[in-house]
Amino acid sequence: SSELTQDPAVSVALGQTVRITCQGDSLRSHYVSWYQQKAGQAPVLVIFGKNNRPSGIPDRFSGSGSGNTASLTITGAQAEDEADYYCNSRDSSGNLLYVFGTGTKVTVL
Amino acid sequence: QVQLVQSGAEVKKPGASVKVSCKASGYTFTGYYIHWVRQAPGQRLEWMGWMNANSGGKVYAQQFQGRVTMTRDTSISTAYLELSGLRGDDTAIYYCARGGGPWDEIDPWGQGTLVTVSS
């Protein structure tokens, strides 16, 4: 199976911008989605497709990507954005399989 | 609203099996898939497989082949995950989540079920 690689941790000052990246071969040909997981809670979808936000997700969350890399950007980070973030896509070894990224811990200073 | 509600926490001995349920509401159960994802303490999300709630067709991640069974009862809009041959490293929170949308999104998620494997 393939891997989706993320930086383990990033920090951002309150109100500033942070970008989280996800790298993997499967991203060249499959959609990526992003999930926010706060401590002790189930994951929540924040971005899907090219750059779509579910209802209720603030517009400070946006997605982008090129080639084998996808990015999640938080513009004007808030204290409540402190969480683990995971990307997800299909596995490059088989269209029927899925894989999650290694996860990024975002700390808001 | 669309919601997935899972069964309660389980404690099992090594070698035993566990069956977790996931009841869907607020949408047409057979119009989507159900994914199962687990998370060991302090670890990343691990995708286990998915099941087509309409046909019952399923795909399992390779590392769970032979130990996992995903089923559903469409009459009560409920999906099930059964894991056999439990080991200590199967201790985790098990999540169900809806899939099969046009963008491959997985949403929403159940609240999770803690399975503890201990002698």
Side-chain angles (χ1 to χ4, degrees):
Chain A
S1 63
S2 62
E3 274 271 320
L4 294 178
T5 302
Q6 302 178 236
D7 291 330
V10 296
S11 60
V12 57
L14 186 67
Q16 296 304 300
T17 297
V18 62
R19 174 175 290 184
I20 305 162
T21 60
C22 172
Q23 288 191 304
D25 286 342
S26 65
L27 300 182
R28 297 182 185 278
S29 52
H30 297 296
Y31 296 124
V32 67
S33 52
W34 290 92
Y35 301 85
Q36 175 193 68
Q37 187 180 33
K38 297 181 180 179
Q41 297 183 20
V44 172
L45 176 70
V46 293
I47 290 288
F48 63 98
K50 296 187 181 299
N51 182 19
N52 301 297
R53 280 177 290 106
S55 60
I57 300 301
D59 61 5
R60 62 179 179 271
F61 289 89
S62 63
S64 61
S66 178
N68 73 335
T69 302
S71 299
L72 173 70
T73 301
I74 309 173
T75 303
Q78 302 299 302
E80 61 265 31
D81 300 333
E82 185 161 296
D84 294 325
Y85 290 84
Y86 295 91
C87 58
N88 173 267
S89 184
R90 300 223 182 197
D91 190 301
S92 60
S93 64
N95 275 346
L96 300 179
L97 304 174
Y98 289 74
V99 62
F100 282 94
T102 50
T104 299
K105 169 66 177 177
V106 172
T107 301
V108 180
L109 304 173
Chain B
Q1 75 282 21
V2 177
Q3 195 173 9
L4 299 173
V5 177
Q6 300 182 224
S7 49
E10 303 263 13
V11 179
K12 296 292 183 181
K13 294 191 182 303
S17 297
V18 68
K19 191 170 187 177
V20 178
S21 68
C22 170
K23 182 170 178 58
S25 61
Y27 73 98
T28 302
F29 178 67
T30 52
Y32 292 84
Y33 298 168
I34 293 290
H35 289 270
W36 289 93
V37 178
R38 76 176 186 180
Q39 187 172 38
Q43 302 301 308
R44 62 189 276 191
L45 300 174
E46 182 177 26
W47 183 78
M48 299 182 69
W50 60 258
M51 179 188 64
N52 182 322
N54 184 37
S55 68
K58 59 213 75 171
V59 176
Y60 301 144
Q62 184 176 4
Q63 62 267 38
F64 298 105
Q65 294 272 2
R67 287 207 303 143
V68 69
T69 305
M70 296 177 189
T71 57
R72 89 281 191 228
D73 184 339
T74 58
S75 68
I76 55 172
S77 300
T78 300
Y80 302 93
L81 170 77
E82 186 168 17
L83 188 63
S84 62
L86 290 170
R87 309 182 293 249
D89 61 2
D90 291 318
T91 294
I93 298 175
Y94 290 76
Y95 295 101
C96 64
R98 189 182 73 168
W103 302 95
D104 268 348
E105 70 272 26
I106 302 175
D107 177 64
W109 294 58
Q111 83 276 20
T113 296
L114 174 62
V115 175
T116 303
V117 182
S118 174
S119 55

